[in-house]
Amino acid sequence: MMLVSIENIPGKELEVLGIVKGTIVQTKNFGRDFMAGMKTLVGGEIKGYTEMLNEARQIATKRMVDEAEALNADAVVGIHYGSSTVMQGAAEIIAYGTAVKFKN
């Protein structure tokens, strides 16, 4: 499965199959919250949150690809990621794009 953030794939004619997306709502845990609170005192990267968000993006991407595969897509173009706060301590990560099939 080809995944690209651009709208077209050079040299390929595309048949649009539809929008696909993958989401996950990820929560923080006490250990990460405690360490994040300590880190705010001295500054710097909060690695626990970075790892948590990277994992959440990977899961959202996999779910998006699963939707594309169910449509027999060859690629997903125009991929974007977004995030929003669902409730205190929980964030949604979404990956979305357009599933396409190669015509040639």
Side-chain angles (χ1 to χ4, degrees):
M1 177 75 55
M2 184 180 288
L3 305 175
V4 297
S5 61
I6 56 178
E7 299 298 322
N8 292 297
I9 299 172
K12 297 286 186 185
E13 190 177 344
L14 306 176
E15 173 189 347
V16 173
L17 301 176
I19 294 173
V20 289
K21 48 91 180 94
T23 63
I24 181 171
V25 175
Q26 188 81 22
T27 61
K28 301 181 268 185
N29 68 36
F30 176 76
R32 285 187 179 139
D33 283 348
F34 177 76
M35 294 309 292
M38 298 304 291
K39 193 65 157 182
T40 61
L41 298 174
V42 296
E45 179 182 6
I46 303 171
K47 292 183 183 186
Y49 285 150
T50 300
E51 291 167 4
M52 179 187 73
L53 290 172
N54 281 334
E55 179 183 333
R57 275 190 293 276
Q58 289 173 353
I59 293 167
T61 300
K62 170 138 179 26
R63 290 177 180 174
M64 177 188 65
V65 167
D66 290 346
E67 279 195 14
E69 287 175 343
L71 296 173
N72 293 317
D74 295 316
V76 179
V77 299
I79 294 176
H80 290 84
Y81 291 92
S83 64
S84 62
T85 302
V86 175
M87 57 184 257
Q88 186 175 6
E92 175 192 36
I93 304 295
I94 183 167
Y96 60 96
T98 303
V100 298
K101 192 139 189 79
F102 300 147
K103 285 187 176 181
N104 53 352

